[in-house]
Amino acid sequence: MKVINLGETNSILNAYIAQMRDKTIQKDRMLFRANLKRVGNIFAYEVSKVLDYSAKDVVTPLGVASVNTPDNKLVVATILRVGLPLHEGILSFFDKAESAFVAAYRKYDKGDDFHINIEYCTSPNLNGKTLILADTMLATGASIEVTYNKLSEDGEPEHTHLVCPIASVFAVEYLQKHLPKDKVTLWTAAMDEELTSHSYIVPGLGDAGDLAYGEKL
């Protein structure tokens, strides 16, 4: 699995990530969602650079122009609920993309042990298509692994781009062992070293879902 950390290069992306992390600024729920959308825009633009392109003739009022445009059939998927603003930001850059949605959550067993439970999944056929799977936080990697496997039941993507703005080193290493090496690229903006006993990323940014939409019961 190839890993691309956009946060290692100075760009405005780092300013949005900083605002999302800041415990005072992130209290502005609307701004938090807006930053997720803007982050999604930037990742979409960067992913677009590695798609397949070919020249097409475009008829203008005065003649014909040859323009290189993408050939990939795209599906943009996200894990509910926090993935929705990120999904919107990515989707707004890809006019013809289809969408997939997965409701996955941690179901705790005993103590700090948990497994990923999927209650809902809707997806187009993925055979031969390029999948962009977005999730704001990549803590253990378990949710992405389970979601990827679930979506792959609806056809095998030609290539999958994982968009996870905040990731843990543990999760990255986990996915490198459990996802196809040559068919998956992970895009992130930060790789944090620590996980708590409850598998939360440190320094991370807190519970992204609650920050975007309010605390859940």
Side-chain angles (χ1 to χ4, degrees):
M1 181 183 74
K2 184 177 182 180
V3 179
I4 300 175
N5 185 353
L6 297 180
E8 293 176 338
T9 302
N10 290 334
S11 77
I12 195 62
L13 172 64
N14 290 339
Y16 303 148
I17 294 296
Q19 289 185 10
M20 288 168 57
R21 286 189 188 265
D22 190 296
K23 68 178 184 180
T24 299
I25 297 175
Q26 66 180 201
K27 292 178 182 178
D28 185 335
R29 196 168 294 150
M30 185 170 69
L31 178 58
F32 189 83
R33 293 194 302 270
N35 278 329
L36 277 175
K37 292 178 186 177
R38 295 196 289 188
V39 167
N41 289 161
I42 293 172
F43 276 105
Y45 176 74
E46 293 296 330
V47 170
S48 76
K49 295 179 182 179
V50 301
L51 298 179
D52 300 321
Y53 285 74
S54 65
K56 286 94 171 175
D57 287 340
V58 179
V59 179
T60 78
L62 299 176
V64 177
S66 179
V67 184
N68 288 341
T69 59
D71 297 321
N72 307 69
K73 294 181 179 179
L74 296 175
V75 177
V76 181
T78 197
I79 300 176
L80 302 173
R81 62 181 168 150
V82 69
L84 288 173
L86 190 61
H87 175 271
E88 183 177 345
I90 296 171
L91 193 63
S92 66
F93 267 48
F94 297 118
D95 300 352
K96 298 179 181 179
E98 299 174 285
S99 289
F101 300 94
V102 178
Y105 66 95
R106 295 180 181 182
K107 187 173 180 62
Y108 283 89
D109 304 314
K110 293 183 179 180
D112 295 329
D113 294 331
F114 65 86
H115 65 276
I116 303 301
N117 194 53
I118 291 182
E119 287 194 342
Y120 174 81
C121 178
T122 179
S123 172
N125 189 295
L126 297 175
N127 274 326
K129 297 178 182 178
T130 298
L131 174 65
I132 301 176
L133 175 54
D135 192 18
T136 303
M137 306 285 286
L138 184 63
T140 66
S143 293
I144 285 287
E145 180 194 18
V146 171
T147 299
Y148 173 85
N149 290 334
K150 180 65 176 178
L151 288 171
S152 295
E153 294 176 6
D154 294 311
E156 184 177 356
E158 182 176 336
H159 195 87
T160 298
H161 296 278
L162 306 177
V163 175
C164 304
I166 307 291
S168 75
V169 172
F170 175 90
V172 173
E173 293 175 348
Y174 177 86
L175 293 181
Q176 286 176 322
K177 295 176 182 177
H178 292 84
L179 293 184
K181 291 182 174 61
D182 58 344
K183 287 193 171 184
V184 178
T185 301
L186 170 64
W187 300 76
T188 188
M191 289 174 55
D192 293 349
E193 296 285 343
E194 186 180 345
L195 280 181
T196 69
S197 60
H198 293 284
S199 297
Y200 288 106
I201 304 173
V202 179
L205 51 76
D207 190 310
D210 289 356
L211 290 168
Y213 296 111
E215 294 185 8
K216 54 188 175 293
L217 294 177

